[in-house]
Amino acid sequence: MKITAAKVFIGGPGKNYVTLKIETDQGVYGLGDATLNNRESLTAKYLEDYIAPNLIGLDPRRSEDIWQFFYRGAYFRRGPIAMAAFGAVDMALWDIKGKLANMPLYDLFGGKSREGAMVYAHATGSDLEDLKDSISYYVEQGYKAVRVQCGVPGMPSASYGVSETKGDVENYITDFSGIRPKVEVWDSDLYMRYMPKALEEIRDTFSPDLHILHDVHHRLLPREAAAFAKSVEPVGLYWLEDPTPAEDQDALRLLRQHSTVPVAIGEVFNSIFDCNKLIENELIDFIRVAVTYAGGITHVKRIVDLAGLHHVRTGFHGAPSHSPLCMAAQAHLNAWAPNFGIQEYLVLGTPECDALFPSDHKMENGLFHVSDAPGLGVDFDEKEAERYSYVAGSHPVVRLQDGTLWNY
Ligand code: KDG
Ligand code: MG
């Protein structure tokens, strides 16, 4: 069996999805996602220039050897662009494997450990009242968990995760007006004084059964993060996300010494080497990698297995930029993983998105039900894809009040 073609598509409804289609001489094809938010054209180019020509003629069933070939063969290892490109290849090869076996991927991993995987939605408000409305909207739809973000009085710009629209959150993270980032201004003192009180009010307003998550988005220094975690302890958060910049694996020691608040980190990680110390030293409770960004199913499954040895549960990244293919790969891992925790889920099922990526994966009452179709269980409509093309966009950059550049 041989790979005969590897085609790359870019574009989608309001997103620049990068989709890889690997075709074989036996008619079976596989699909993978290489969407690296706001750097999409680079993963597309990596796939087109280097990966596609090297794939032709290889046996698609040898997904491990192909992964090693690209990872070791690059010499300059890791990095988000290369790992997202390998992620797409790996996903597509697993899709082919599942179709050949006529089995959904979760069965190839070891079978289902649960029916329905708990997801969390993004609730957001310009102020606390707005945020409460947004939380109620998700509670009414049956969500069991919500991430809560709201504006901070006196903060010169919107704080992280605050959307201008209520209800289902579209891709509010990316500004498609061009490649030059907007500037947001941040003040850690204002945030640290206001947010614990706001979170307590939310806790008191909603049922104790509702899981509340909060994302600091890398903004605090290790000492500040430890103090913040201590102050939000009475809220009983499901998790506190990215309290410190994620590349410093030792930063969470101080937080751990001062608080038992569950910590989630990892959406910017692209390999096991970004999180092995965090996991082995049990400095985190949830690992947030995404199958696309961290080298595909083959590599992420290794991270999940290591995490399981240390009581660390999964909480895969599921921001608006992730394509239904990445979400499907994660859904299969979520169905299987003995150490599954929760899945971030932003409503992907718009009619345009469903037309581009038809599938029968389902969300019901805050639980994601994985499709039983062979492989990933998602298709790709090439005709529909002709409607879309690449649109340049950017994340904002963040500065402190005195102009110092800070962490977005
Ligand atoms: O591209 C950046 C987003 O993926 C990130 O800002 C989303 O923090 C995020 C989250 O928790 O989904
Ligand atoms: Mg986050």
Side-chain angles (χ1 to χ4, degrees):
M1 184 173 191
K2 283 192 178 13
I3 295 174
T4 49
K7 299 178 185 161
V8 183
F9 303 83
I10 186 161
K15 328 264 158 82
N16 291 311
Y17 294 136
V18 180
T19 304
L20 175 70
K21 181 172 186 180
I22 296 182
E23 295 174 352
T24 68
D25 57 359
Q26 295 188 15
V28 182
Y29 60 87
L31 297 164
D33 170 43
T35 311
L36 180 63
N37 203 21
N38 298 328
R39 294 293 182 273
E40 300 90 347
S41 58
L42 303 181
T43 46
K45 191 92 179 106
Y46 196 111
L47 285 167
E48 275 163 0
D49 288 1
Y50 178 68
I51 290 192
N54 274 295
L55 278 172
I56 310 301
L58 299 184
D59 182 339
R61 293 168 298 190
R62 299 179 63 176
S63 49
E64 181 67 56
D65 186 64
I66 292 175
W67 196 93
Q68 300 293 338
F69 173 85
F70 286 120
Y71 182 81
R72 291 169 194 260
Y75 181 60
F76 302 102
R77 292 184 186 184
R78 300 148 60 183
I81 294 162
M83 292 300 274
F86 306 162
V89 173
D90 189 71
M91 237 181 263
L93 297 180
W94 275 95
D95 193 23
I96 290 172
K97 213 185 288 298
K99 287 171 178 167
L100 290 174
N102 199 25
M103 284 160 97
L105 289 190
Y106 63 75
D107 272 337
L108 295 183
F109 302 155
K112 273 191 187 174
S113 300
R114 61 195 54 77
E115 299 301 327
M118 180 168 68
V119 306
Y120 71 90
H122 283 193
T124 164
S126 54
D127 59 24
L128 195 49
E129 287 314 305
D130 250 20
L131 174 58
K132 285 186 197 163
D133 289 349
S134 174
I135 298 170
S136 302
Y137 170 87
Y138 288 111
V139 169
E140 280 156 24
Q141 291 189 42
Y143 281 81
K144 291 153 186 43
V146 278
R147 188 190 86 168
V148 304
Q149 309 292 132
C150 72
V152 174
M155 188 77 85
S157 314
S159 39
Y160 168 75
V162 175
S163 158
E164 281 154 20
T165 52
K166 287 189 198 182
D168 287 344
V169 179
E170 282 299 321
N171 195 0
Y172 64 91
I173 290 161
T174 297
D175 168 18
F176 284 107
S177 65
I179 210 72
R180 261 182 210 275
K182 289 203 169 121
V183 178
E184 287 181 355
V185 180
W186 169 259
D187 186 319
S188 297
D189 289 339
L190 286 176
Y191 170 81
M192 286 179 63
R193 280 205 297 272
Y194 180 73
M195 202 47 72
K197 282 185 282 178
L199 292 172
E200 264 181 69
E201 196 173 320
I202 290 164
R203 176 77 293 163
D204 292 343
T205 309
F206 293 91
S207 153
D209 294 334
L210 179 70
H211 296 305
I212 297 173
L213 297 75
H214 179 67
D215 190 350
V216 185
H217 222 251
H218 326 272
R219 302 267 165 107
L220 298 177
L221 299 171
R223 191 211 58 80
E224 293 169 337
F228 185 78
K230 210 158 129 181
S231 66
V232 299
E233 214 145 76
V235 180
L237 288 177
Y238 186 85
W239 81 32
L240 184 67
E241 179 178 337
D242 288 334
T244 54
E247 64 264 43
D248 180 359
Q249 295 198 45
D250 286 324
L252 294 171
R253 279 186 202 286
L254 196 62
L255 189 154
R256 273 305 210 217
Q257 284 158 8
H258 291 276
S259 165
T260 55
V261 70
V263 176
I265 208 159
E267 65 186 37
V268 298
F269 294 163
N270 50 71
S271 86
I272 199 165
F273 303 106
D274 296 322
C275 55
N276 58 338
K277 282 207 280 170
L278 281 172
I279 293 171
E280 284 159 3
N281 294 322
E282 301 181 5
L283 295 175
I284 56 171
D285 301 278
F286 295 91
I287 181 70
R288 293 257 308 127
V289 288
V291 167
T292 298
Y293 298 167
I297 291 166
T298 296
H299 194 68
V300 167
K301 201 163 168 302
R302 294 201 165 108
I303 298 177
V304 174
D305 282 332
L306 177 67
L309 299 179
H310 294 278
H311 320 287
V312 174
R313 289 184 285 159
T314 61
F316 293 137
H317 194 202
S321 47
H322 291 301
S323 108
L325 291 164
C326 173
M327 296 305 285
Q330 296 182 170
H332 285 279
L333 287 169
N334 291 339
W336 152 78
N339 52 326
F340 167 74
I342 196 166
Q343 170 66 58
E344 182 179 27
Y345 176 85
L346 276 97
V347 180
L348 292 160
T350 60
E352 295 84 6
C353 191
D354 289 347
L356 188 59
F357 294 102
S359 88
D360 59 359
H361 292 285
K362 268 197 229 41
M363 246 289 299
E364 256 166 27
N365 276 331
L367 299 180
F368 195 99
H369 296 274
V370 67
S371 160
D372 298 320
L376 285 170
V378 178
D379 211 344
F380 180 66
D381 187 327
E382 287 184 47
K383 195 87 202 105
E384 191 67 21
E386 287 170 10
R387 294 176 54 190
Y388 304 107
S389 55
Y390 173 72
V391 182
S394 59
H395 294 119
V397 293
V398 175
R399 291 189 182 276
L400 302 181
Q401 304 239 37
D402 71 356
T404 306
L405 200 88
W406 207 242
N407 313 309
Y408 167 63

